[in-house]
Structures are given as C-alpha cells and as structure tokens.
Amino acid sequence: MSEQQRAERSERQSEPAGRWVVVVGAGMAGVQTAVALRERGFTGAVTLIGAEPHQPYDRPPLSKAVLLGKAEESAFDIDFEALGITLRLGCEVTGVRAGDHELDTSAGPVPYDVLVIATGAEPVVLPGSEGVPGVHLLRTLDDAARLRPVLDARHTVVVVGAGWIGAEFATAARSAGCEVTVVEAAERPLAGALPAEVAAPMAAWYAESGAGLLTGARVARVEPGSVVLADGRTLPADAVVVGIGARPATGWLAGSGIALGPDGSVTADAALRTSLPDVYAVGDCASFPSARFGARLLVHHWDNALQGPRTAAAHIIGAAGGDGAEPPAYDPVPYFWSEQFGRFVQYAGHHDGADTLLWRGDPAGPAWSVCWLRDGVLVAVLAVGRPRDLIQGRKLIEAGTRLDPERAGDASVPLKSATRQETHG
C-alpha cells in the first residue's frame, strides 16, 4: 500500500459513515459533482480520479480554440486544493467491488463510502482503422494536440461522419486552409440527430464553406494516405478524422452489478442513483427517466454534464436547504449548441414523439428555427442564428406551454407571444 493510499484510508476511517465520496471521471460531470458537493456544504472527503494525466479540462474548446492553436489548453479555473478536493490523475479505474465498497485502479485499491460514476463517453472507432497511420479521433486534449500540426500544414483531410463533431472539425479544418471531404454513410448530415427535412438544408453549408460532402458513402477501408469507399472510389487523405459517434464509457463496470441499458449507459433513477446503494452516475455515461418527455434519456452534451451533478450532490448530501424536503428529481430540458460553417446552432428539448413540426423562417437563409409540438405543447426547438427563439423556447418547454401553431409558425411573432392563452385570451 502506497503512502497516499494509507493517508486516504486513514482519512476515510476518521470520517463518519457515508462521508467519503469518490468521483470516477475528471471531465465536466466529475468536476462539477465535486464542486457541487463543496458548494452545498459537504465537509467529508472528496477524491476525483481521472485517467488522463492533465489537469481537468473542458472539452468543447478542443474542436475550436485549442484545435486551431488559439488556446493551449482548456483547464478548468478551479482551485481544487482550496476546495479540499483530492485529485488522482493518470489513474485508470478498472473495476468496482461494490460489496467491499472499493475500486480497483492502476494505482491499487481505492475505498469509497459513496461512488459517483462520471466516466463520460468514448468515441466509436472505425472498424479496420486501428493502427493505420494518420487516423485520428477528437475526444481528448492529446487528440487535439496531435491534430493541430495537421491543420497547420493544410493537409488534405477526410472526415468520416457528418454529425456534430464531424461538422465542427470540418469547419476548423476549412478555416485553417485544409482541403476537406466529409464522408457520411447516411443520406444526409446529422441523420441520427434530426429528421430528414430539418437536416436537409444543412447539407448546403458544406459546399458553401468549400468542403466536399459525400452522403450514402460507406468506408470500405482506410489505407496510409487514402480512404477507399465501398463503391470503389478512393479519396486522397493526408489525415483521416473519425467522428461516427460515441458510447458510454462503462466497459469497466462489467461484473460490478451496476445495471446498464442496451446502449451501454448506466441506468440511473430520477435522483441519478444507480441500481446499487451508494453509487450515482452523471453526465454522458448515464441515462435517466424524464417524466417531462415520457422517455429515458441519454444526453451526450455539455449542459447535461453541468446540471446533473447538482442533483446528484443534493441527493448525496440529503435534504436540500436543510428543511427535510427531498431534493428535486432530475428532469431537465436538454440543451446543446454547435458552431459550424459560420452558424451558431442551438437545440433545446426532445423531439421524439412530436406530432407537429413548424418552420420559423426560410431554411435557405442565414437565420431560421424549427419548433416541435406534441398535442399542441412545445417539446423542442432548433435555432440557427435565432438565439431569441432558443431562449424563449426553452422557457416555454420548461413550463409545458401550449402554442398556437399559426402564430408559432410566423417568424415575425416572438415565441413567447405565440401561446394559446394569449391567442384566445
């Protein structure tokens, strides 16, 4: 047993039962959990374990400022020492022995009273691309560091996947002067995220930026210097960036007894508790039940990693505000944004199950938005260059507001003025 392990065990034994919280994962969700515990007055021991050796950092800048060399890093501006949060970086957690309340790690066993799983998501690897020179993912600070010379050299780049991360990398690569071709197996960009009629206008953005977009194109194999498509076409590629999705990083939980869903996510409840006592899960690795949308949601976006930890911390500590009341359930309006091809794209809500789609503005223009209704109630909004629609729409979704479809479909009418109450009042 190392000196650090002896010190941690001694500190744990000196705390009251249930007062040692270990957070696995030092991304946004893990960091915010540790900070939220302190902000709520938690005085027990808090340990934050991260697999990467770097100081905990924010990920969105990786595909923007860090990638383009406008920032060297995106470390969180948090004084962990002042908050009494112990960092164990460069430490990989390999398993959980729930009966012993202990983690197995690359540095030896780590005990816990309460465990928070915040290991995020890991990118899906393109089959057959492992070990091929010039193939990149973009998930970590080290990934961004490896890609910066590619952009600096203005290489010919093939991006596999026209999802959010693919579009953002293509945007950065074009702004750096690279020749870019994006290859998408589906017939349109963002096929897994948006309906066909909403995603269709976005295909034109690629050509406007000077990037090529090949849809309905499957990759047969990646070779050094080229990408070979299933139809026989060969694309020259000094570098290949793969952005074909991500899945919860939960493989290390095998055999732990912690329940996982078919998508690999930890199936948390409305308090973000897992199937085992004293174990919580937050962020990209966890799904949660939404009463608001009548579905279990798995949200791979920054805002979820920011908001969920506050709920988990409240339930770990106990009653909010010390009044004996149960802390509220976690049931947010999901929100995310993407900066791509000179446009600011924002989305709030959950459109699955919607029965009405309304356009606000011309999708061929620079600014437009889409509203989804279910039984007349606004459940989701996508805004392109119309931040006011997003702000107002998000509030209306939170309130469960019923809209007048005719007025809501009129881009000149503020969304907040398109409610049925105002129309018929």
Side-chain angles (χ1 to χ4, degrees):
M1 183 181 295
S2 69
E3 287 301 319
Q4 183 176 13
Q5 289 170 335
R6 288 193 186 93
E8 288 179 345
R9 185 176 292 275
S10 175
E11 185 177 351
R12 177 183 182 233
Q13 290 170 346
S14 69
E15 293 288 343
R19 302 299 285 177
W20 180 286
V21 179
V22 175
V23 183
V24 180
M28 170 64 83
V31 166
Q32 289 300 322
T33 300
V35 171
L37 286 167
R38 291 297 188 229
E39 288 179 341
R40 287 182 169 271
F42 182 73
T43 58
V46 177
T47 298
L48 183 63
I49 301 177
E52 295 181 57
H54 309 291
Q55 278 291 114
Y57 61 88
D58 202 6
R59 293 189 188 277
L62 296 184
S63 61
K64 305 173 183 70
V66 174
L67 187 60
L68 291 170
K70 297 176 181 177
E72 290 300 317
E73 59 178 26
S74 55
F76 293 111
D77 185 17
I78 295 171
D79 190 336
F80 293 99
E81 184 177 358
L83 289 172
I85 297 169
T86 300
L87 295 181
R88 298 193 62 173
L89 304 176
C91 179
E92 183 180 358
V93 180
T94 57
V96 182
R97 286 177 285 109
D100 297 330
H101 270 57
E102 241 176 19
L103 300 172
D104 291 321
T105 82
S106 57
V110 175
Y112 67 85
D113 289 315
V114 176
L115 171 65
V116 181
I117 300 167
T119 42
E122 56 194 3
V124 176
V125 176
L126 182 67
S129 68
E130 300 96 325
V132 178
V135 177
H136 300 264
L137 299 169
L138 180 52
R139 183 69 181 176
T140 68
L141 188 60
D142 289 339
D143 292 337
R146 283 188 286 266
L147 276 165
R148 275 173 59 172
V150 172
L151 270 59
D152 291 342
R154 300 186 177 181
H155 280 317
T156 298
V157 179
V158 171
V159 180
V160 182
W164 300 113
I165 192 66
E168 291 187 2
F169 179 81
T171 299
R174 282 300 301 142
S175 68
C178 296
E179 182 180 336
V180 179
T181 302
V182 180
V183 177
E184 171 55 53
E187 297 301 324
R188 64 184 188 276
L190 295 168
L194 296 173
E197 63 267 43
V198 177
M202 300 176 175
W205 299 354
Y206 289 79
E208 290 174 12
S209 76
L213 173 63
L214 302 178
T215 57
R218 294 190 174 275
V219 174
R221 63 185 181 276
V222 179
E223 300 174 346
S226 66
V227 174
V228 180
L229 303 183
D231 61 9
R233 285 178 290 177
T234 299
L235 307 176
D238 297 316
V240 178
V241 177
V242 179
I244 55 175
R247 58 188 167 214
T250 55
W252 63 282
L253 294 173
S256 67
I258 296 171
L260 303 180
D263 53 13
S265 67
V266 179
T267 52
D269 66 12
L272 299 180
R273 289 180 294 244
T274 73
S275 60
L276 292 185
D278 306 322
V279 182
Y280 293 74
V282 294
D284 291 4
C285 67
S287 61
F288 56 90
S290 171
R292 184 192 307 277
F293 297 109
R296 174 167 286 275
L297 303 183
L298 175 60
V299 181
H300 283 183
H301 294 295
W302 186 89
D303 191 65
N304 177 53
L306 175 66
Q307 303 295 340
R310 297 170 183 169
T311 294
H315 284 271
I316 290 170
I317 293 171
D323 57 4
E326 177 76 4
Y330 187 59
D331 196 2
V333 173
Y335 166 74
F336 71 88
W337 78 96
S338 176
E339 297 175 74
Q340 52 184 270
F341 308 117
R343 293 167 172 86
F344 188 46
V345 183
Q346 297 171 282
Y347 177 96
H350 180 69
H351 65 265
D352 286 357
D355 51 43
T356 303
L357 186 151
L358 303 173
W359 290 89
R360 291 171 57 82
D362 181 1
W368 49 275
S369 59
V370 174
C371 294
W372 286 268
L373 309 183
R374 185 175 62 218
D375 298 328
V377 175
L378 183 66
V379 293
V381 59
L382 172 79
V384 178
R386 289 179 65 97
R388 192 168 298 176
D389 278 2
L390 189 286
I391 293 169
Q392 294 180 9
R394 191 177 185 184
K395 292 178 180 177
L396 294 172
I397 297 168
E398 288 174 348
T401 306
R402 189 176 300 276
L403 297 185
D404 179 276
E406 184 174 347
R407 289 175 61 77
D410 184 343
S412 68
V413 176
L415 268 182
K416 65 181 181 181
S417 299
T419 64
R420 279 222 180 260
Q421 294 91 325
E422 290 192 20
T423 302
H424 297 295

